[in-house]
Amino acid sequence: MTIRLYNTKTRKKVEFEPIDQENVRMYVCGPTVYDRAHLGNARPVIVFDTLFRLLRHTYGDDHVTYVRNFTDVDDKINATALARKEAGAAGTLEELIAERTEETIGWYLSDMSEVGALEPTQMPRATNYIAQMIAMIEDLITKDHAYAAEGHALFRVRSYENYGALSGRSVDDMIAGARVEVAPFKEDPMDFVLWKPSTDDQPGWDSPWGRGRPGWHIECSAMAKALLGDTFDIHGGGLDLQFPHHEDEIAQSCCANETDEMARYWMHNEMLQVEGKKMSKSLGNFFTVRDLLEQGVPGEVIRLVFLMTHYRKPMDWTDAKRGEAEKMLGEWMSVLQKHGYSQKTVDMLKASGDWVADAEFIGVLSNDLNTSGAISRMHVLAKAKTAAGLVPLAHAMETLGLVNDWSILDLSPSQNDDMPEWAATVIDRLIVERGEARAAKDWGEADRLRDLLNAAGVQVTDVAGTASWLPGADFDLSVLEALK
Ligand code: AMP
Ligand code: ZN
């Protein structure tokens, strides 16, 4: 099956031909780790995770290298740490910065795993590649594409004639529309920072230009080169990164590596909006992935809402779509459950070679990640009348990352033979009440009920709006006794 992708660079949908079929290489710009991921940040993660899964399906699980970085040196991180210090937090500023990045990376990974994202093959942190960044900047200076001035190193934009090619615009047009920083030490206002000086209380590294820290763009160029080589297959990120970030990455990498291309295919996801409006703190419609999860919206529902819109179209998060996705998933899950699907069945299907994809589904998805078309095809697949006939649906759910663990289907009270009936009734009642409290946005009550279930050692899993439960290792009947 050939995959076709829309290449931003040529503004055309073309057949994807990897440089090396044995090792398909993709780089996606990752988050700056200063705060919880907002819902918009989940879009590139879900889009490129879906592409990663399709590439693995097509070329083999061990033949795709996906790199997504963490930007763990940035003024926003410093500002957050400084604010904490000023609020009286213990520790040096350096410790507070390290604490902030560690905690944010932990949150990010757990939130993205809840929306079904596989971990990329490599997740480099910028601060582990400072030496490579310094080497690349020195190389650019030697080749006259960059210069040092007043503790800074700057890229000489006019030295790279293809600057602007990704966006299809000339340097002059770009300057006119951009907020370029004018500084006395710049030869040209368009030149951008590769390295900048740090004050004593800012993170910094020794360099030929004094103690300082890298600019954001050079981080990706250095990490991509170190992990994927001078030219690789796919480079992705949000559309907001196309200019200047990606233009700058290309300029740095192509000039330092003396190549015509940094990546052969450039892909950009459109942005997320909320109920038709830009998501922003000032409009009061800003929320994080964690906020939604805590309100009881299951991760797979969030993921399906994203997949309902093509990645190159602006996407609107609405409550109506959330409901639609919840209903769809619920229907697919229940048809599989009705036909006896469980972790064991899927394991057996996989072992016997009967776990097969629907060619039409893969074909639709391979057409520039037409996820909404793929979902339409799944509605057809869900009409199958036999367990064997439903394999393509189950396979498709896994390929889209909507189910990562089929044991989800095993969680049903009927399987707990040792459970006294009254206890199952109490648990069911607590879960129903928790659902009602959430629907009424009574988070205090919902939390109280969740704590009760936790205290009793009952593990609750929410799948597609339906809660299932199992007694955990610390199951404690006595807690439920009191609620009989
Ligand atoms: P940042 O941490 O702001 O650099 O963003 C990390 C990633 O999230 C980048 O790929 C951005 O393009 C993407 N992103 C940020 N906001 C949105 C949004 N509202 N919709 C879609 N993608 C976004
Ligand atoms: Zn980048």
Side-chain angles (χ1 to χ4, degrees):
M1 187 72 69
T2 46
I3 298 177
R4 292 169 64 76
L5 298 174
Y6 181 86
N7 189 353
T8 311
K9 198 165 76 178
T10 54
R11 281 159 281 279
K12 276 195 198 87
K13 207 196 285 185
V14 288
E15 203 166 291
F16 173 65
E17 291 174 78
I19 299 167
D20 176 3
Q21 299 235 359
E22 298 295 312
N23 184 20
V24 179
R25 290 164 289 161
M26 170 163 83
Y27 185 95
V28 175
C29 299
T32 303
V33 284
Y34 66 100
D35 210 348
R36 281 263 185 211
H38 62 65
L39 192 62
N41 296 137
R43 193 164 193 201
V45 175
I46 293 171
V47 165
F48 292 104
D49 177 66
T50 307
L51 179 58
F52 181 40
R53 287 167 182 272
L54 178 64
L55 291 168
R56 281 161 58 104
H57 173 84
T58 308
Y59 297 95
D61 286 359
D62 300 328
H63 299 284
V64 186
T65 306
Y66 171 23
V67 177
R68 187 186 64 213
N69 70 293
F70 284 117
T71 293
D72 61 347
V73 47
D74 184 88
D75 292 347
K76 282 187 279 231
I77 306 174
N78 304 342
T80 324
L82 193 61
R84 276 197 178 178
K85 188 161 174 59
E86 282 166 358
T92 63
L93 191 59
E94 200 175 310
E95 284 162 355
L96 290 171
I97 288 172
E99 216 173 84
R100 187 60 181 177
T101 56
E102 278 310 314
E103 123 183 291
T104 311
I105 288 174
W107 287 338
Y108 186 82
L109 292 178
S110 82
D111 293 351
M112 296 311 141
S113 135
E114 297 245 17
V115 296
L118 299 171
E119 286 202 352
T121 325
Q122 303 229 42
M123 294 185 281
R125 297 182 187 198
T127 50
N128 289 334
Y129 289 82
I130 300 289
Q132 287 88 335
M133 295 173 205
I134 292 176
M136 196 177 233
I137 298 171
E138 286 189 294
D139 193 15
L140 286 168
I141 292 178
T142 310
K143 290 172 178 155
D144 273 341
H145 288 295
Y147 56 95
E150 295 182 29
H152 292 74
L154 295 133
F155 187 90
R156 193 175 272 129
V157 168
R158 306 262 179 198
S159 78
Y160 180 55
E161 62 175 18
N162 286 333
Y163 193 88
L166 178 68
S167 319
R169 293 191 289 170
S170 72
V171 177
D172 293 309
D173 285 351
M174 289 185 149
I175 297 179
R179 264 187 285 161
V180 289
E181 197 192 341
V182 185
F185 51 83
K186 281 189 179 181
E187 284 178 5
D188 184 316
M190 196 60 186
D191 294 348
F192 60 86
V193 167
L194 299 167
W195 189 265
K196 56 191 165 189
S198 293
T199 56
D200 288 345
D201 60 356
Q202 284 170 329
W205 291 262
D206 288 328
S207 81
W209 318 286
R211 185 177 170 278
R213 57 198 196 286
W216 171 36
H217 317 302
I218 194 74
E219 297 177 11
C220 288
S221 283
M223 288 184 274
K225 178 183 170 74
L227 298 169
L228 296 175
D230 290 354
T231 302
F232 49 93
D233 297 299
I234 300 171
H235 192 311
L239 191 58
D240 56 330
L241 302 186
Q242 184 178 341
F243 172 78
H245 184 55
H246 290 162
E247 294 284 2
D248 293 354
E249 278 189 38
I250 293 173
Q252 295 162 157
S253 293
C254 291
C255 291
N257 303 334
E258 300 185 50
T259 50
D260 293 337
E261 293 182 303
M262 177 186 188
R264 298 184 62 188
Y265 305 84
W266 284 81
M267 294 178 66
H268 293 96
N269 63 270
E270 252 286 2
M271 307 305 276
L272 169 106
Q273 303 180 324
V274 177
E275 307 280 353
K277 295 200 184 74
K278 185 181 167 194
M279 183 166 77
S280 85
K281 287 198 168 134
S282 60
L283 289 174
N285 62 358
F286 179 94
F287 47 90
T288 64
V289 174
R290 181 54 47 182
D291 290 336
L292 280 181
L293 294 167
E294 280 179 359
Q295 285 164 25
V297 184
E300 45 274 57
V301 169
I302 299 176
R303 186 175 179 106
L304 185 54
V305 172
F306 277 95
L307 296 179
M308 282 156 65
T309 303
H310 189 254
Y311 77 93
R312 282 193 288 114
K313 296 215 177 84
M315 163 190 164
D316 207 12
W317 174 273
T318 64
D319 209 43
K321 277 196 203 162
R322 182 201 47 74
E324 205 184 313
E326 208 158 282
K327 188 163 158 271
M328 245 190 272
L329 267 174
E331 281 167 10
W332 294 338
M333 285 300 198
S334 81
V335 73
L336 292 172
Q337 213 160 15
K338 220 161 58 201
H339 285 87
Y341 271 73
S342 66
Q343 179 71 56
K344 218 167 102 195
T345 351
V346 173
D347 287 345
M348 274 162 48
L349 286 163
K350 286 183 179 171
S352 64
D354 294 322
W355 182 250
V356 285
D358 172 56
E360 190 170 328
F361 168 85
I362 297 289
V364 172
L365 194 60
S366 299
N367 181 11
D368 194 31
L369 286 188
N370 179 0
T371 47
S372 56
I375 291 167
S376 304
R377 177 66 187 160
M378 287 163 79
H379 288 305
V380 177
L381 297 175
K383 295 201 169 85
K385 296 279 180 281
T386 61
L390 285 165
V391 167
L393 172 69
H395 192 289
M397 290 181 79
E398 211 178 88
T399 306
L400 286 188
L402 296 168
V403 180
N404 288 309
D405 178 358
W406 290 100
S407 66
I408 219 95
L409 292 175
D410 305 346
L411 301 175
S412 119
S414 60
Q415 292 173 359
N416 305 318
D417 296 337
D418 302 336
M419 176 77 54
E421 213 176 289
W422 65 263
T425 311
V426 171
I427 296 169
D428 284 340
R429 194 188 73 220
L430 292 175
I431 290 176
V432 169
E433 286 175 6
R434 188 190 60 144
E436 287 167 357
R438 279 175 170 179
K441 299 204 192 307
D442 184 352
W443 309 123
E445 176 65 0
D447 286 350
R448 188 187 70 84
L449 292 162
R450 185 200 55 209
D451 293 346
L452 262 180
L453 288 159
N454 281 344
V458 179
Q459 288 176 2
V460 184
T461 314
D462 292 296
V463 189
T466 312
S468 329
W469 58 269
L470 266 186
D474 52 350
F475 182 66
D476 184 356
L477 210 52
S478 67
V479 177
L480 300 172
E481 282 272 358
L483 302 165
K484 235 169 152 175

